């Protein structure tokens, strides 16, 4: 038995969440409903403007790994934080949830710990303003072989592809995990990210990944075609392909197997973390060996729970929800 069932490698970002109205977004010049990268000075201005803010250790894949840990799996998360207040908070909060954080905060780090200011409007839309800081500097030196070789599954985040050293770190980790009998996968993260690195993403999906999770816009961007053709190509190159579609049925492909998982539409309180927790529920199903349609339903249950309240982490026992719906 390997020490870990899931290890994630991605940006280590402290999520700072506050409620606001549309007029506040207009006043602060925040574009609604998107993730926007910002610089340090802008980050400090927005942080100071937030009232009744809550903080949580975040980043997309970190949310997924923490979700898997909360479901009872053995998890660890590889990231990069500075030895500052937010960095120490990140390490302590993640480990308090039961997910290991093997890289100690970096003393005298060249940049502050990353943070994302998330403004949630009454309609549940989230407007994310992310300062990448030190986490975007992750490189091969930050990938402990003792961790990535000792996991059943590795989960990566497409956002780190914006720097060559991030790509190199992913390649090192994926090859180490697969060399020791594990499986490697990635979240495509964002259609703009896919557009920036299309050729590299295609090679990664074809040559290094055992599973890939993305939404309909990311898959269409990856192959520059309509969704059915994109998923056909992806399924011919990768063992397990998952496509979420914003409230429409989830499409899952594994070899010749194809399933569609119905999604029950709910009015979101806060859409933050929906995709992250879908991935957690789905990957929990894969790791525990349930059929694809059941794994997909687990993902949908986890996503529905997290959008029913503020914040990117579940507030109830998600495994108990699985039991209540007859999924385990």
């Amino acid at each position: 038995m390997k020490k870990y069932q899931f290890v994630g490698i991605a940006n280590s970002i402290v999520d700072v969440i506050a409620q606001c109205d549309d007029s506040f977004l207009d006043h602060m010049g925040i574009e609604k409903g998107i993730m926007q990268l910002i610089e340090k000075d802008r980050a400090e201005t927005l942080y100071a403007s937030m009232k009744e803010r809550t903080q949580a250790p975040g980043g997309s894949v970190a949310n997924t790994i923490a979700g898997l840990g909360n479901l009872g799996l053995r998890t660890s998360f590889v990231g990069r934080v500075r030895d500052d207040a937010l960095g120490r908070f990140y390490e302590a909060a993640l480990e308090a949830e039961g997910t290991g954080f093997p890289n100690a905060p970096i003393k005298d780090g060249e940049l502050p710990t990353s943070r994302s200011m998330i403004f949630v409007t009454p309609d549940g839309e989230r407007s994310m303003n992310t300062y990448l800081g030190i986490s975007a500097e992750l490189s091969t030196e930050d990938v402990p072989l003792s961790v990535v070789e000792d996991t059943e599954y590795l989960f990566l985040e497409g956002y780190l592809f914006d720097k060559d050293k991030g790509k190199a770190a992913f390649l090192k980790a994926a090859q180490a995990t697969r060399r020791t009998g594990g499986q490697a996968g990635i979240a495509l993260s964002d259609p703009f990210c896919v557009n920036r690195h299309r050729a590299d993403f295609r090679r990664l999906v074809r040559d290094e990944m055992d599973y890939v999770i993305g939404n309909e816009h990311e898959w269409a961007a990856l192959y520059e075609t309509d969704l059915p053709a994109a998923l056909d190509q992806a399924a011919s190159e990768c063992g397990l392909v998952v496509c979420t579609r914003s409230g429409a049925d989830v499409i899952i492909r594994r070899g010749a197997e194809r399933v569609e998982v119905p999604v029950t539409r709910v009015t979101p309180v806060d859409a933050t973390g929906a995709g992250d927790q879908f991935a957690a529920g789905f990957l929990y199903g894969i790791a525990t060996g349930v059929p694809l349609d059941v794994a997909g339903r687990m993902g949908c249950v986890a996503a529905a729970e997290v959008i029913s309240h503020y914040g990117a982490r579940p507030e109830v026992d998600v495994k108990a929800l699985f039991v209540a719906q007859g999924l385990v």
Side-chain angles (χ1 to χ4, degrees):
M1 179 184 295
K2 292 198 171 187
K3 182 175 181 180
Y4 303 109
Q5 289 165 287
F6 273 92
V7 168
I9 303 180
N11 283 307
S12 307
I13 300 174
V14 177
D15 286 337
V16 187
I17 304 170
Q19 300 175 46
C20 72
D21 56 23
D22 287 344
S23 63
F24 176 86
L25 298 182
D26 292 339
H27 176 70
M28 298 301 296
I30 298 169
E31 189 169 350
K32 184 175 180 178
I34 68 165
M35 193 285 285
Q36 186 170 4
L37 296 178
I38 58 175
E39 297 300 323
K40 181 180 177 182
D41 289 348
R42 173 71 167 165
E44 292 175 349
T45 297
L46 292 181
Y47 186 83
S49 75
M50 303 178 87
K51 297 179 180 179
E52 298 182 1
R53 55 184 176 246
T54 59
Q55 295 183 167
S60 178
V61 164
N63 288 334
T64 298
I65 295 298
L68 287 161
N70 289 332
L71 284 165
L73 300 191
R74 304 183 305 278
T75 56
S76 187
F77 180 75
V78 175
R80 185 178 176 88
V81 298
R82 186 176 178 176
D83 188 13
D84 54 19
L86 284 179
R88 292 187 292 272
F89 163 80
Y90 193 97
E91 177 188 37
L94 204 64
E95 291 188 338
E97 292 184 84
T99 291
F101 191 73
N103 292 347
I106 299 168
K107 296 184 182 299
D108 302 317
E110 66 277 17
L111 295 169
T113 294
S114 311
R115 75 288 309 264
S116 180
M117 276 66 68
I118 303 172
F119 296 91
V120 183
T121 43
D123 59 2
E125 279 285 354
R126 68 196 195 280
S127 304
M128 305 171 67
N129 295 262
T130 303
Y131 169 60
L132 290 178
I134 197 171
S135 72
E137 301 302 313
L138 188 139
S139 70
T140 55
E141 296 178 359
D142 299 302
V143 178
L145 286 177
S146 61
V147 174
V148 296
E149 289 179 342
D150 205 10
T151 185
E152 296 173 14
Y153 294 89
L154 178 73
F155 194 38
L156 307 172
E157 182 177 286
Y159 284 127
L160 276 178
F161 253 57
D162 276 325
K163 295 196 174 182
D164 287 341
K165 53 188 173 183
K167 297 176 188 177
F170 277 6
L171 190 62
K172 172 185 175 180
Q175 291 177 343
T177 296
R178 300 180 85 196
R179 183 171 61 244
T180 54
Q183 295 188 44
I186 193 169
L188 294 177
S189 295
D190 182 273
F192 300 106
C193 185
V194 171
N195 285 331
R196 288 194 296 271
H197 308 288
R198 183 175 293 108
D200 285 329
F201 268 123
R202 284 187 181 179
R203 280 194 294 272
L204 193 73
V205 170
R206 182 184 66 240
D207 299 334
E208 305 291 345
M209 294 294 103
D210 299 291
Y211 63 95
V212 182
I213 300 175
N215 65 35
E216 56 188 323
H217 307 296
E218 293 156 1
W219 283 116
L222 183 62
Y223 294 107
E224 299 180 283
T225 186
D226 60 80
L227 184 62
L231 295 180
D232 283 345
Q233 184 166 348
S236 72
E237 297 179 348
C238 183
L240 177 60
V241 170
V242 183
C243 177
T244 59
R245 297 191 293 164
S246 299
D249 292 359
V250 176
I251 300 172
I252 307 171
R253 302 279 299 272
R254 183 168 60 188
E257 188 178 5
R258 183 186 190 278
V259 301
E260 291 196 18
V261 181
V263 173
T264 301
R265 285 185 171 271
V266 297
T267 301
V269 173
D270 173 14
T272 307
D276 308 339
Q277 294 310 318
F278 170 84
F282 175 76
L283 292 174
Y284 175 82
I286 294 301
T288 55
V290 303
L292 283 187
D293 63 320
V294 176
R297 289 173 62 196
M298 288 176 166
C300 293
V301 168
E305 190 286 330
V306 82
I307 67 174
S308 70
H309 55 76
Y310 290 101
R313 302 289 178 83
E315 291 185 347
V316 303
D317 183 346
V318 175
K319 190 180 289 187
L321 298 179
F322 295 165
V323 172
Q325 298 205 20
L327 301 178
V328 294

